[in-house]
Amino acid sequence: MTDLKTLQRDDAAHFIHPFTDSKTLAEKGTRVIERADGIYLWDIQGNKLLDGMAGLWCVNVGYGRQSIVDAVSKQMQQLPYYNSFFQCTHPPAITLAKTIADLAPAHMNTVFFTGSGSESNDTNLRMVRRYWDLKGQPNKKTIISRENAYHGSTVAGASLGGMSGMHEQGDLPIPKIVHIAQPYWYQEGADLSPEEFGLKAARSLEEKILELGEDNVAAFIAEPFQGAGGVIIPPSTYWPEIKRILAKYDVLLILDEVISGFGRTGCWFAAEYFDLQPDLISIAKGMTSGYIPMGGVIIADRVADVIKQQCGEFTHGYTYSGHPAAAAAALENINILKQEKIVEQVANEIAPYFQQRLRTLAEHPLVGEVRGIGLVAAIELVQDKATRARYNSDLGVGTWCRDFCIQHGLVMRSVGDTMIISPPLVITKTQVDELIDKALLALNDTYQQCLSA
Ligand SMILES: *Cc1c(COP(=O)(O)O)cnc(C)c1O
């Protein structure tokens, strides 16, 4: 076995990591993860970590699922690859499309397959623009998104996203994509109540539509709750007001459920959780629990009928759209979620326990707010609980906390000074206790370091 130092050296020499400062990483040395089982990871030095992020929000059914390995292996022996272009298809992709249509909201019965969440949002951009062309409204092309949204890292994905650091690299966004305020009450709500702020944030959509002219606006894209932005859950007034505005101006809703889909909120899709009727849903991540890359777009009948009946050739697709081995992984993943009643279990047992246990951390002197729904949550680290003032961002308090978590055997991610958690859906109550205990130790260590900073 290659030793850690050699692996780190080769990694630094030959491998540019996603969203990484390569220079700093080379100095620090990367962490080499070697194996995983259930909700735990082991690094190459044998350290055991509780994976509080389900990989990257994706390993919903946990690691080590032999039945997914077997399903993929069997499919690869029979038909490892074939495309679905040129009048062809194959059973796994057909079965998966039908399976997802059955799980999706009732008005959505069609799927377009992609290889990732980013590709799903590229597909969305082309599909909504094509839809409005076919409806005889060729000016309805602009897509409205939100600041601090995450919709992937391809050119369309990064443009649709609202991350300023991403826009700076690559001269983004591309034309006809604009951004409005995000519903981040804790950071931007000032002295408004969450309900007042939710309405205000939603009404910025109406203002933008009126500014652009409703005949120029194709769609609004949003995550049901922002994930990578910091697990930002809109106030209760937000989504009902957005729904009203979208209906009034006939603007399509693209709901990016790459994180929230496949059980994260205790519903199969967050569209159910927030009572939304999207026109398009982006999926990826939990679709295969990350075992094989795959994404897709679930399409409402209103849009699918137009694309199917009037488009002629829809000149869009990917070599790996509906890849048979990925489809086999997705089908077995969904089978596990159903057989083990994991989504119901999240809704009725684990999420209420997780959220209640997590709220106990709100008493900690470093913690300004704990928020979450289902099995996803955020912990805001602040200097002053009353004013919500943060520590000087140069300190990197969130990064300290993340590193202390690792020392205590827990993977939590930091977005600035917001700690975020999204464990595998199969986490047990005992394991929730373990997660909270470890998080508390890390918070204590971080607080000590803040006091002496
Ligand atoms: C991860 C993510 C994406 C991008 O998915 P990739 O598979 O990394 O391309 C898009 N939208 C949301 C909400 C995501 O969390």
Side-chain angles (χ1 to χ4, degrees), residues 19 56-57 115-121 149-154 157 222-228 256-260 282-285 293-295 413:
F19 289 94
L56 203 47
W57 324 83
S116 68
S118 301
E119 287 179 13
S120 301
N121 287 323
Y150 190 77
H151 297 301
S153 195
T154 50
E223 304 154 83
F225 57 85
Q226 286 150 267
D256 187 340
E257 295 230 38
V258 169
I259 288 175
S260 56
S282 320
I283 53 175
K285 294 193 171 119
M294 187 175 220
R413 175 170 163 195

Side-chain angles (χ1 to χ4, degrees), residues 249-271:
Y249 300 103
D250 201 12
V251 167
L252 299 177
L253 174 60
I254 305 169
L255 200 63
D256 187 340
E257 295 230 38
V258 169
I259 288 175
S260 56
F262 300 93
R264 181 63 49 197
T265 63
C267 298
W268 278 92
F269 294 98

Side-chain angles (χ1 to χ4, degrees), residues 313-370:
E313 178 183 346
F314 181 45
T315 55
H316 173 65
Y318 306 105
T319 303
Y320 300 128
S321 286
H323 191 286
L331 279 168
E332 181 52 23
N333 176 58
I334 293 168
N335 186 41
I336 291 171
L337 288 167
K338 285 182 182 167
Q339 291 299 318
E340 299 180 12
K341 296 192 167 30
I342 291 172
V343 183
E344 293 86 339
Q345 183 77 3
V346 168
N348 302 327
E349 294 283 330
I350 292 299
Y353 186 73
F354 172 73
Q355 295 294 343
Q356 170 237 316
R357 289 287 283 119
L358 209 62
R359 290 306 184 285
T360 61
L361 299 175
E363 291 155 26
H364 195 279
L366 187 58
V367 175
E369 181 183 71
V370 177

Side-chain angles (χ1 to χ4, degrees), residues 372-414:
I373 55 173
L375 276 183
V376 61
I379 303 171
E380 296 280 8
L381 308 184
V382 289
Q383 184 160 25
D384 186 329
K385 288 163 93 94
T387 64
R388 296 182 244 154
R390 297 195 189 273
Y391 283 93
N392 185 336
S393 62
D394 293 342
L395 291 174
V397 172
T399 310
W400 291 348
C401 186
R402 188 192 66 189
D403 291 347
F404 282 126
C405 282
I406 297 274
Q407 282 179 29
H408 290 292
L410 170 65
V411 177
M412 241 203 265
R413 175 170 163 195
S414 58

Side-chain angles (χ1 to χ4, degrees), residues 224-225 233-235 239-240 243 265 267 269-276 373:
F225 57 85
I233 297 155
W239 277 118
K243 273 168 70 172
T265 63
C267 298
F269 294 98
E272 257 174 81
Y273 187 93
F274 288 107
D275 188 26
L276 301 171
I373 55 173

